[in-house]
Amino acid sequence: MFHGITKRWMLNTLSVILMIVILIVVTLIFVVTYLFQSSVEQNLASTGNELSIVFSGFTSPGSTEFASASRDYVENFDEKEHVGVMVLNSTGKVVLTSTGFVPSEDEKFTDFEDASASDDGYAFWSGRLLSGEPAMSETRVIKNPDGVVVGAIRYIVSMEPVNNRILLSSGIIIAIGLIILGLVIISGLLFIRSIVRPIRRLSEAAGQIAQGDFSASEKIEHKYDDEIGDLCDAISDMAKDLQTTEQMKNDFISRVSHELRTPLTAIKGWAETMQLSERGTLDRRTFDKGMGVIIKESSRLTSIVEELLDFGRIQSGRMVLMKEKIDILAEFDEAVYMLKERAVSDGVHLLYDEPEVVYPPIYGDRNRLKQVFLNILDNALKYTPKGGVVAAQVIYSKDEPDVIKIIVTDSGCGISAEDLPRVKEKFYKANQSVRGSGIGLAVADEIMNLHNGSLDIESGEGVGTTVTLTFPVYKEGEENSLPDMVKL
């Protein structure tokens, strides 16, 4: 019936509370019993205090005078209806009672002997009579001037009414304890329920999300703004992020499949054309065109595969850099040169003037950096319409002597403010109408991070994009402080 958090609460918290309530109840019952019994003792003691006045003139050691004085005291006693009075002789035998009945000799009272031995001259007794009735008595001895006991007065009351009050009070205390315990159990179970139910729903929703049903996050609700509410919000946000990532991954797979299919289709088509043509009938111009397409699309296919492999290395932490001291101007100039013909064929003006001054070297992997340059320039050309301009420049100033910056600016379509913060995320592709897998920038950004540099993008929709690559300048001894091969 109870398990999990409820069971632990029952075994731990509730058991401690139960012990505390029982301890309090038992203590209160003992206190109430003590107070009631002390009250009876005090009443008996105050009643017996008047003996010093009643027998103050008693000086004769004779038993006749004591018997006469005692008889007068019993006859004139005002509390006969509630308190019984017995007159005892010097040996402790009852000789006179307020009820007129002398108790049986089998009744055993110890208060006379205790009072005779006491310096105060009185003692209490509590127990049950032969009839089974609970009773309490106080005996006060009367002594003559020589200190000889000539008799005693015993006051006796029934404890039945007091015990009934004790039982009633104990019952009330136990009932209050049970009520408190019940309220604690009810409030505790309600509190546990307010925790267990949402957690159970969260567990079910998490299981559905793990199976790919991201709509389960819509069923997650919370009533309170507490830790459970924060957990509900976190799981809902996680499900939304997973759904977005899943959609991006599916789009990525679709784009990659399309990117791979296009060059493969071109290669296959031209290969079949050249194969089916009769030997010697294919003119040189067509042959050269077909081979050019095959070579171009093969290079494109190789580039896509390399990009996917790099992405896989980054995901698995196996990206390796072969670092050395390099001339960044020479590497960037080579990348620009590789894309000049592409820019001409696309009708885009690619502007770049290599600085005539000598810039300090940087420490990095020349192949990986060239990959970054080509990716940035390729993106600029892709998103710039015919007749547009792509301008590149390398900047090193005395104001910032520790870094070298490469800035590539295009007059293309630009990136919206909504897409700009996410363009470097894996799988994310802002413009679906332009070819590309959507992982090139993610790979380039990771390569820049491995070089302790940065890749920053500024853009406005319809006004173009500016990409800034920042590299730290090589410092003497850097190759000794860092390994030539850096693994992600």
Side-chain angles (χ1 to χ4, degrees), residues 6-68:
T6 306
K7 183 178 179 180
R8 292 205 306 270
W9 180 80
M10 294 286 288
L11 293 177
N12 299 330
T13 306
L14 186 59
S15 60
V16 173
I17 294 175
L18 179 61
M19 291 176 61
I20 293 174
V21 171
I22 291 176
L23 180 62
I24 293 174
V25 168
V26 172
T27 302
L28 288 176
I29 290 175
F30 274 113
V31 170
V32 168
T33 302
Y34 172 77
L35 290 177
F36 274 107
Q37 290 180 347
S38 296
S39 176
V40 174
E41 288 184 2
Q42 291 175 2
N43 289 335
L44 289 176
S46 62
T47 302
N49 286 335
E50 65 184 12
L51 289 181
S52 60
I53 300 174
V54 174
F55 292 94
S56 60
F58 174 70
T59 57
S60 174
S63 59
T64 304
E65 293 183 7
F66 171 74
S68 176

Side-chain angles (χ1 to χ4, degrees), residues 275-445:
Q275 184 183 39
L276 294 175
S277 299
E278 295 182 7
R279 183 173 298 180
T281 61
L282 189 65
D283 62 279
R284 185 67 187 182
R285 183 178 178 182
T286 305
F287 177 82
D288 290 342
K289 182 179 180 181
M291 289 302 295
V293 170
I294 291 175
I295 293 172
K296 178 181 178 181
E297 296 301 326
S298 296
S299 298
R300 181 180 169 190
L301 189 61
T302 301
S303 177
I304 295 173
V305 172
E306 285 295 332
E307 196 173 65
L308 291 173
L309 289 174
D310 286 339
F311 179 75
R313 294 186 187 103
I314 291 175
Q315 290 293 96
S316 60
R318 294 183 293 106
M319 173 69 78
V320 177
L321 299 183
M322 305 294 294
K323 285 191 172 185
E324 58 182 322
K325 186 167 64 173
I326 60 175
D327 182 359
I328 193 171
L329 288 175
E331 301 303 328
F332 187 68
D333 181 69
E334 185 177 342
V336 173
Y337 180 79
M338 293 174 62
L339 293 175
K340 275 188 175 181
E341 291 188 9
R342 152 88 180 282
V344 172
S345 64
D346 291 345
V348 177
H349 301 286
L350 178 57
L351 307 178
Y352 172 67
D353 292 325
E354 183 178 351
E356 295 181 358
V357 297
V358 177
Y359 283 178
I362 68 169
Y363 192 67
D365 186 325
R366 63 176 70 247
N367 292 324
R368 293 299 180 186
L369 291 180
K370 189 178 295 182
Q371 179 182 348
V372 173
F373 301 152
L374 290 173
N375 181 275
I376 299 303
L377 292 169
D378 177 71
N379 282 342
L381 293 173
K382 277 193 303 186
Y383 291 102
T384 301
K386 189 174 183 179
V389 177
V390 174
Q393 57 180 329
V394 182
I395 299 176
Y396 176 70
S397 67
K398 294 181 179 180
D399 295 334
E400 295 181 290
D402 295 330
V403 297
I404 296 176
K405 293 184 178 180
I406 294 178
I407 302 175
V408 178
T409 304
D410 64 64
S411 59
C413 59
I415 306 170
S416 67
E418 180 182 356
D419 294 325
L420 186 59
R422 305 187 61 189
V423 291
K424 292 192 290 185
E425 293 181 9
K426 60 183 180 180
F427 306 137
Y428 193 82
K429 187 171 171 59
N431 193 331
Q432 303 293 335
S433 62
V434 180
R435 65 178 177 83
S437 62
I439 60 173
L441 271 180
V443 174
D445 184 59

Side-chain angles (χ1 to χ4, degrees), residues 319 321 323-324 328 362-365 368-369 372 402-405 443-456 468-475 478-479 481-483 486-488:
M319 173 69 78
L321 299 183
K323 285 191 172 185
E324 58 182 322
I328 193 171
I362 68 169
Y363 192 67
D365 186 325
R368 293 299 180 186
L369 291 180
V372 173
D402 295 330
V403 297
I404 296 176
K405 293 184 178 180
V443 174
D445 184 59
E446 190 60 44
I447 292 174
M448 290 300 298
N449 290 334
L450 290 174
H451 283 84
N452 297 320
S454 63
L455 188 158
D456 301 304
T468 302
L469 303 175
T470 304
F471 300 89
V473 172
Y474 169 80
K475 297 179 181 178
E478 189 172 357
E479 67 274 13
S481 60
L482 294 173
V486 179
K487 186 175 181 181
L488 176 60

